[in-house]
Amino acid sequence: MLTPIRKPIARAIAPVRALFVGDASAGVLLILVAAAAMLVANSPLAGAYEELFYGKLSWTPIAKLDDLHLWINDGLMAIFFFVVGLEVKRELICGQLSSPEQRRLPIMAAAAGMAVPALVYVGVIGGDAELLRGWAIPAATDIAFAMGVLGLLGSRVPASLRLFLLTVAIVDDIGAVLVIAAFYTANIKLMWLAIAAVVFGVMVAMNRFGVARIWPFVLVALVLWVCVLFTGIHATIAGVLAALTIPMRDTTGHSMLEKMEHGLAPWSAYLVVPIFGFANAGVNLSGMGIDEVLAPLPIAIAAGLVFGKQLGIFGIIFAAVKLGIAKAPENANWVEIWGITILCGIGFTMSLFISGLAFDGNRTFIDEAKIGILGGSLVSAILGYTVLRLTTKHPEERPVEPVTP
């Protein structure tokens, strides 16, 4: 038991402790990485930063990946998407998406949270056909970043809202993967697609016939990644496909999927995503004026993240609860739910990834997109944290205030 004097002190330092433990650490690391990338890109090291990631490699085992940036985005990020795929499969089989009742509200919220930001984006940019390719950039929510900000609030936020944010972000990732596969794919090479389909079939057969070792799945997954890379479909989709073939239980009754997820998740959160963030978040602002910063592209992305996410997610939750279609998160009031929907406007990893696909080869648009992503995510993080900090209470102070239809 904390003494009356120590209790306020413990509460005061809780946000500081949260920087190093729990859900906040991966998100805070991303914030620091993004800040470091911006500092380096606008320092005397800018040339070295550019050469490191975009300079042509003297040798590469795959000619198509001829610089470090491509190896990170097409190769290293396949691990991130593999972990996402494992998480999605686990949630669908035995987690928070395993029953229709549990899936209903997160799926509705994620769908609205992708559609409305896209509509806001399209509305802001008008009829510019070239910029239209970026419509999906503000549609994604960054799990680590959003959960990191939420982690800074400690126990003030009801567990039901934490779970809701995590579930919406997972469904959001599913939607983002489908969008990448459907809308950001170059000319498909049918021969490589057929080979990839055969390799994927082999992995499915390995699952069905009870292959109990991890290494065969890893080896065949690497082959699948190479095949998908040459199909014209983005190579990281191979990560998701491979994850879906991993057995939930092996012949000994142990969970191969959970073992792989637990083994890879820390590497993904603390190495893969930070490297990706550092390689992609740096924008050299020296040649940019106020016109570029306030150009239609960054404004459209920021508006989609800050306003579109709130309107879409909060609107669908409110409508679903009032119409009796779904139940609101337990022990949470409407203001707290609104605060969570604001945090859904933090779009970092997936948004940066999609911007690179949408404007491939156009560095001006990619840099403007980064400004919009970083600006919109920062505003969403600060606003969401402020709303939840001012309106939530610690468990011992909280009366039960269920949301009623």
Side-chain angles (χ1 to χ4, degrees):
M1 290 288 292
L2 292 175
T3 65
I5 294 177
R6 292 176 62 195
K7 188 180 291 185
I9 296 175
R11 288 182 185 172
I13 66 173
V16 179
R17 290 183 65 253
L19 293 175
F20 307 100
V21 297
D23 294 332
S25 53
V28 171
L29 178 59
L30 273 183
I31 296 171
L32 296 176
V33 164
M38 289 296 292
L39 286 174
V40 171
N42 291 277
S43 75
L45 296 173
Y49 176 88
E50 183 79 10
E51 179 62 26
L52 173 64
F53 292 114
Y54 295 97
K56 297 303 178 183
L57 297 173
S58 58
W59 178 85
T60 176
I62 300 176
K64 191 173 183 179
L65 305 180
D66 60 357
D67 63 43
L68 186 58
H69 185 264
L70 286 173
W71 272 103
I72 291 170
N73 283 29
D74 289 25
L76 196 62
M77 281 298 284
I79 299 174
F80 167 78
F81 280 88
F82 182 76
V83 173
V84 168
L86 293 175
E87 185 176 29
V88 167
K89 181 172 181 176
R90 175 178 52 78
E91 291 291 339
L92 287 171
I93 293 175
C94 61
Q96 297 304 316
L97 300 174
S98 59
S99 70
E101 293 76 17
Q102 291 173 308
R103 289 194 291 262
R104 187 176 299 126
L105 189 60
I107 289 177
M108 293 172 64
M114 295 185 74
V116 177
L119 291 173
V120 170
Y121 174 94
V122 172
V124 172
I125 65 160
D128 191 321
E130 197 171 11
L131 293 181
L132 273 175
R133 283 189 53 79
W135 64 269
I137 295 173
T141 295
D142 190 283
I143 296 178
F145 215 141
M147 293 302 292
V149 174
L150 198 60
L152 296 176
L153 293 160
S155 60
R156 301 180 69 91
V157 179
S160 62
L161 287 182
R162 290 174 174 272
L163 182 59
F164 177 77
L165 176 61
L166 180 61
T167 310
V168 169
I170 290 170
V171 178
D172 190 292
D173 275 347
I174 298 173
V177 169
L178 293 175
V179 165
I180 291 170
F183 297 99
Y184 294 105
T185 295
N187 295 326
I188 297 178
K189 296 177 176 60
L190 295 180
M191 184 188 74
W192 280 106
L193 184 63
I195 297 173
V198 170
V199 176
F200 179 70
V202 170
M203 295 195 72
V204 172
M206 290 166 61
N207 181 321
R208 292 296 178 88
F209 287 104
V211 174
R213 298 291 185 90
I214 289 177
W215 66 264
F217 283 96
V218 174
L219 289 178
V220 181
L222 287 172
V223 175
L224 179 63
W225 172 76
V226 172
C227 293
V228 174
L229 176 67
F230 286 101
T231 63
I233 301 171
H234 201 272
T236 50
I237 299 300
V240 178
L241 293 175
L244 297 179
T245 69
I246 303 301
M248 190 66 198
R249 300 286 173 188
D250 59 24
T251 53
T252 64
H254 296 96
S255 177
M256 183 187 296
L257 186 147
E258 290 184 356
K259 183 178 180 180
M260 295 185 76
E261 183 184 357
H262 292 161
L264 288 173
W267 291 97
S268 175
Y270 295 102
L271 182 65
V272 173
V273 173
I275 289 175
F276 169 83
F278 187 73
N280 287 272
V283 183
N284 191 329
L285 302 175
S286 60
M288 288 190 175
I290 193 66
D291 291 340
E292 286 81 9
V293 174
L294 298 179
L297 179 56
I299 293 298
I301 293 172
L305 289 171
V306 176
F307 301 111
K309 283 287 186 180
Q310 293 182 56
L311 290 172
I313 298 177
F314 186 80
I316 201 68
I317 295 173
F318 187 83
V321 172
K322 292 299 181 181
L323 295 173
I325 298 173
K327 295 181 180 179
E330 296 179 353
N331 298 322
N333 59 46
W334 283 116
V335 177
E336 292 167 342
I337 293 173
W338 173 50
I340 288 294
T341 67
I342 299 173
L343 291 184
C344 289
I346 300 174
F348 185 77
T349 306
M350 201 68 82
S351 293
L352 287 173
F353 191 81
I354 293 174
S355 68
L357 300 178
F359 304 120
D360 186 24
N362 191 325
R363 292 297 300 278
T364 299
F365 282 172
I366 290 176
D367 285 347
E368 288 185 1
K370 290 176 183 178
I371 293 172
I373 293 165
L374 295 173
S377 297
L378 182 62
V379 171
S380 295
I382 294 173
L383 181 59
Y385 176 87
T386 302
V387 169
L388 290 169
R389 183 65 180 80
L390 294 177
T391 60
T392 53
K393 298 181 180 180
H394 286 276
E396 67 270 20
E397 302 170 343
R398 172 184 290 274
V400 178
E401 301 176 12
V403 171
T404 55

Coordinates of all heavy atoms in Angstrom, one line a residue, residues 156-199:
R156 N -5.1 5.0 -16.1 CA -6.2 6.0 -16.2 C -7.3 5.5 -17.2 O -8.4 5.8 -17.1 CB -5.7 7.4 -16.5 CG -4.7 8.0 -15.5 CD -4.3 9.4 -16.0 NE -5.4 10.3 -15.8 CZ -5.7 11.0 -14.7 NH1 -4.9 10.9 -13.7 NH2 -6.7 11.9 -14.7
V157 N -6.8 4.9 -18.3 CA -7.7 4.6 -19.4 C -8.3 3.2 -19.1 O -7.5 2.2 -18.8 CB -6.9 4.6 -20.7 CG1 -7.9 4.2 -21.9 CG2 -6.4 6.0 -21.0
P158 N -9.6 3.0 -19.2 CA -10.2 1.7 -19.0 C -9.6 0.6 -19.9 O -9.3 0.9 -21.0 CB -11.7 1.9 -19.3 CG -11.9 3.4 -19.1 CD -10.6 4.0 -19.5
A159 N -9.5 -0.6 -19.3 CA -8.9 -1.7 -20.1 C -9.7 -2.0 -21.4 O -9.1 -2.4 -22.4 CB -8.8 -2.9 -19.2
S160 N -11.0 -1.7 -21.3 CA -11.8 -2.0 -22.5 C -11.4 -1.1 -23.7 O -11.5 -1.5 -24.8 CB -13.3 -1.8 -22.1 OG -13.5 -0.5 -21.8
L161 N -11.0 0.2 -23.4 CA -10.6 1.1 -24.4 C -9.3 0.7 -25.0 O -9.0 0.9 -26.2 CB -10.6 2.5 -23.9 CG -12.0 3.2 -23.7 CD1 -11.8 4.6 -23.2 CD2 -12.8 3.1 -24.9
R162 N -8.4 0.2 -24.2 CA -7.1 -0.2 -24.7 C -7.3 -1.4 -25.6 O -6.7 -1.4 -26.7 CB -6.2 -0.7 -23.5 CG -5.7 0.4 -22.6 CD -5.0 -0.2 -21.4 NE -4.4 0.8 -20.6 CZ -3.1 1.3 -20.8 NH1 -2.4 0.8 -21.8 NH2 -2.7 2.2 -20.0
L163 N -8.1 -2.3 -25.2 CA -8.4 -3.5 -26.0 C -9.1 -3.1 -27.3 O -8.8 -3.6 -28.4 CB -9.3 -4.5 -25.3 CG -9.7 -5.8 -26.0 CD1 -8.4 -6.5 -26.4 CD2 -10.6 -6.6 -25.1
F164 N -10.0 -2.1 -27.2 CA -10.7 -1.6 -28.4 C -9.7 -1.0 -29.4 O -9.8 -1.3 -30.6 CB -11.8 -0.6 -28.1 CG -12.5 0.0 -29.2 CD1 -13.5 -0.7 -29.9 CD2 -12.2 1.3 -29.7 CE1 -14.1 -0.2 -31.0 CE2 -12.9 1.8 -30.8 CZ -13.8 1.1 -31.4
L165 N -8.8 -0.1 -28.9 CA -7.8 0.5 -29.8 C -7.0 -0.5 -30.5 O -6.7 -0.5 -31.7 CB -7.0 1.5 -29.0 CG -5.8 2.2 -29.7 CD1 -6.3 3.0 -30.9 CD2 -5.0 3.0 -28.8
L166 N -6.5 -1.5 -29.7 CA -5.6 -2.5 -30.3 C -6.4 -3.3 -31.3 O -5.8 -3.6 -32.4 CB -5.2 -3.5 -29.1 CG -4.2 -4.6 -29.6 CD1 -3.0 -4.1 -30.2 CD2 -3.9 -5.5 -28.4
T167 N -7.6 -3.7 -31.1 CA -8.4 -4.5 -32.0 C -8.7 -3.7 -33.3 O -8.6 -4.3 -34.4 CB -9.7 -5.0 -31.4 OG1 -9.5 -5.5 -30.1 CG2 -10.4 -6.0 -32.2
V168 N -9.1 -2.5 -33.2 CA -9.3 -1.6 -34.3 C -8.0 -1.5 -35.2 O -8.1 -1.6 -36.4 CB -9.8 -0.2 -33.9 CG1 -9.8 0.7 -35.1 CG2 -11.2 -0.3 -33.4
A169 N -6.9 -1.3 -34.5 CA -5.6 -1.2 -35.2 C -5.3 -2.5 -36.0 O -4.7 -2.4 -37.1 CB -4.5 -0.8 -34.3
I170 N -5.6 -3.6 -35.4 CA -5.3 -4.9 -36.0 C -6.2 -5.1 -37.3 O -5.7 -5.4 -38.3 CB -5.6 -6.1 -35.0 CG1 -4.5 -6.1 -33.9 CG2 -5.6 -7.4 -35.8 CD1 -4.8 -7.1 -32.8
V171 N -7.5 -4.8 -37.1 CA -8.4 -4.8 -38.3 C -7.9 -3.8 -39.3 O -8.0 -4.1 -40.6 CB -9.8 -4.6 -37.9 CG1 -10.8 -4.6 -39.1 CG2 -10.3 -5.6 -36.9
D172 N -7.5 -2.7 -38.9 CA -7.0 -1.6 -39.8 C -5.8 -2.1 -40.6 O -5.7 -1.9 -41.8 CB -6.6 -0.4 -38.9 CG -6.2 0.8 -39.7 OD1 -5.2 0.8 -40.5 OD2 -7.0 1.8 -39.6
D173 N -4.9 -2.9 -39.9 CA -3.8 -3.5 -40.6 C -4.2 -4.4 -41.7 O -3.6 -4.5 -42.8 CB -2.8 -4.2 -39.6 CG -1.9 -3.2 -39.0 OD1 -1.7 -2.1 -39.4 OD2 -1.3 -3.6 -38.0
I174 N -5.2 -5.2 -41.4 CA -5.8 -6.2 -42.4 C -6.2 -5.4 -43.6 O -5.9 -5.7 -44.8 CB -6.9 -7.0 -41.8 CG1 -6.5 -7.9 -40.7 CG2 -7.6 -7.9 -42.9 CD1 -7.6 -8.6 -40.0
G175 N -7.0 -4.3 -43.4 CA -7.5 -3.5 -44.5 C -6.4 -2.8 -45.3 O -6.4 -2.8 -46.5
A176 N -5.3 -2.4 -44.6 CA -4.2 -1.7 -45.2 C -3.4 -2.7 -46.1 O -3.0 -2.4 -47.3 CB -3.2 -1.2 -44.2
V177 N -3.3 -4.0 -45.7 CA -2.6 -5.0 -46.5 C -3.5 -5.3 -47.7 O -2.9 -5.4 -48.8 CB -2.5 -6.3 -45.6 CG1 -2.0 -7.5 -46.6 CG2 -1.4 -6.1 -44.6
L178 N -4.8 -5.4 -47.6 CA -5.6 -5.6 -48.7 C -5.6 -4.4 -49.7 O -5.6 -4.6 -51.0 CB -7.1 -5.8 -48.3 CG -7.3 -7.1 -47.5 CD1 -8.8 -7.1 -47.0 CD2 -7.0 -8.3 -48.3
V179 N -5.5 -3.2 -49.2 CA -5.4 -2.0 -50.1 C -4.1 -2.1 -50.8 O -4.1 -1.8 -52.0 CB -5.5 -0.8 -49.2 CG1 -5.0 0.5 -50.0 CG2 -6.9 -0.5 -48.8
I180 N -3.0 -2.4 -50.2 CA -1.7 -2.5 -50.8 C -1.7 -3.5 -52.0 O -1.3 -3.2 -53.1 CB -0.6 -2.8 -49.8 CG1 -0.4 -1.6 -48.9 CG2 0.7 -3.1 -50.5 CD1 0.5 -2.0 -47.7
A181 N -2.3 -4.7 -51.7 CA -2.3 -5.7 -52.7 C -3.2 -5.4 -53.8 O -2.9 -5.7 -55.0 CB -2.8 -7.0 -52.0
A182 N -4.3 -4.7 -53.6 CA -5.3 -4.4 -54.6 C -5.0 -3.1 -55.4 O -5.2 -3.1 -56.6 CB -6.7 -4.3 -54.0
F183 N -4.5 -2.1 -54.8 CA -4.4 -0.8 -55.4 C -2.9 -0.3 -55.7 O -2.7 0.6 -56.4 CB -5.1 0.3 -54.6 CG -6.6 0.0 -54.5 CD1 -7.1 -0.6 -53.4 CD2 -7.4 0.3 -55.5 CE1 -8.5 -0.8 -53.2 CE2 -8.8 0.1 -55.4 CZ -9.3 -0.5 -54.3
Y184 N -2.0 -0.9 -55.0 CA -0.6 -0.4 -55.2 C 0.3 -1.6 -55.7 O 1.4 -1.9 -55.2 CB 0.0 0.1 -53.8 CG -0.8 1.3 -53.4 CD1 -1.7 1.3 -52.4 CD2 -0.6 2.6 -54.1 CE1 -2.5 2.4 -52.0 CE2 -1.3 3.7 -53.7 CZ -2.2 3.6 -52.7 OH -2.9 4.7 -52.3
T185 N -0.2 -2.2 -56.7 CA 0.5 -3.3 -57.4 C 0.9 -2.9 -58.8 O 0.0 -2.4 -59.5 CB -0.3 -4.6 -57.4 OG1 -0.5 -5.0 -56.0 CG2 0.3 -5.7 -58.1
A186 N 2.1 -3.1 -59.2 CA 2.5 -2.8 -60.6 C 2.0 -3.9 -61.5 O 1.2 -4.7 -61.2 CB 4.0 -2.7 -60.7
N187 N 2.5 -3.9 -62.8 CA 2.0 -4.9 -63.7 C 2.4 -6.3 -63.2 O 3.6 -6.6 -62.9 CB 2.7 -4.7 -65.1 CG 2.3 -3.3 -65.7 OD1 1.1 -2.9 -65.5 ND2 3.2 -2.7 -66.4
I188 N 1.4 -7.1 -63.1 CA 1.6 -8.5 -62.6 C 2.2 -9.4 -63.6 O 1.8 -9.5 -64.7 CB 0.3 -9.1 -62.0 CG1 -0.2 -8.2 -60.9 CG2 0.5 -10.5 -61.6 CD1 -1.5 -8.6 -60.3
K189 N 3.3 -10.1 -63.2 CA 4.0 -11.1 -64.1 C 3.4 -12.4 -63.8 O 3.6 -13.0 -62.7 CB 5.5 -11.0 -63.9 CG 6.1 -9.7 -64.3 CD 7.6 -9.7 -64.0 CE 8.2 -8.4 -64.5 NZ 7.6 -7.2 -63.8
L190 N 2.6 -13.0 -64.7 CA 1.8 -14.2 -64.4 C 2.6 -15.4 -64.1 O 2.2 -16.2 -63.3 CB 0.9 -14.4 -65.6 CG -0.2 -13.4 -65.9 CD1 -1.0 -13.7 -67.1 CD2 -1.1 -13.2 -64.7
M191 N 3.8 -15.5 -64.8 CA 4.6 -16.7 -64.5 C 5.1 -16.7 -63.1 O 5.0 -17.7 -62.4 CB 5.9 -16.7 -65.4 CG 6.7 -17.9 -65.3 SD 8.3 -17.9 -66.2 CE 9.2 -16.7 -65.1
W192 N 5.6 -15.6 -62.6 CA 6.0 -15.5 -61.2 C 4.8 -15.6 -60.2 O 5.0 -16.2 -59.1 CB 6.7 -14.2 -60.9 CG 8.2 -14.2 -61.4 CD1 8.7 -13.6 -62.5 CD2 9.2 -14.9 -60.8 NE1 10.0 -13.8 -62.6 CE2 10.4 -14.6 -61.5 CE3 9.4 -15.7 -59.6 CZ2 11.6 -15.1 -61.2 CZ3 10.6 -16.2 -59.3 CH2 11.7 -16.0 -60.1
L193 N 3.7 -15.1 -60.6 CA 2.5 -15.3 -59.8 C 2.1 -16.8 -59.7 O 1.7 -17.2 -58.6 CB 1.3 -14.5 -60.4 CG 0.0 -14.5 -59.6 CD1 0.2 -13.8 -58.3 CD2 -1.1 -13.8 -60.4
A194 N 2.2 -17.5 -60.8 CA 1.9 -19.0 -60.7 C 2.9 -19.7 -59.8 O 2.5 -20.6 -59.0 CB 1.9 -19.5 -62.1
I195 N 4.2 -19.3 -59.9 CA 5.2 -20.0 -59.1 C 4.9 -19.6 -57.6 O 5.0 -20.5 -56.7 CB 6.6 -19.5 -59.5 CG1 6.9 -20.0 -60.9 CG2 7.6 -20.1 -58.5 CD1 8.2 -19.4 -61.5
A196 N 4.6 -18.4 -57.3 CA 4.3 -18.0 -56.0 C 3.1 -18.7 -55.4 O 3.1 -19.1 -54.2 CB 4.0 -16.5 -55.9
A197 N 2.1 -19.0 -56.3 CA 0.9 -19.7 -55.8 C 1.3 -21.1 -55.5 O 0.7 -21.7 -54.5 CB -0.2 -19.7 -56.9
V198 N 2.2 -21.8 -56.3 CA 2.6 -23.1 -56.0 C 3.3 -23.2 -54.6 O 3.1 -24.1 -53.8 CB 3.5 -23.7 -57.1 CG1 4.1 -25.0 -56.7 CG2 2.7 -23.8 -58.4
V199 N 4.2 -22.2 -54.4 CA 5.0 -22.2 -53.2 C 4.1 -22.0 -52.0 O 4.2 -22.6 -50.9 CB 6.1 -21.0 -53.2 CG1 6.8 -20.9 -51.9 CG2 7.1 -21.3 -54.3

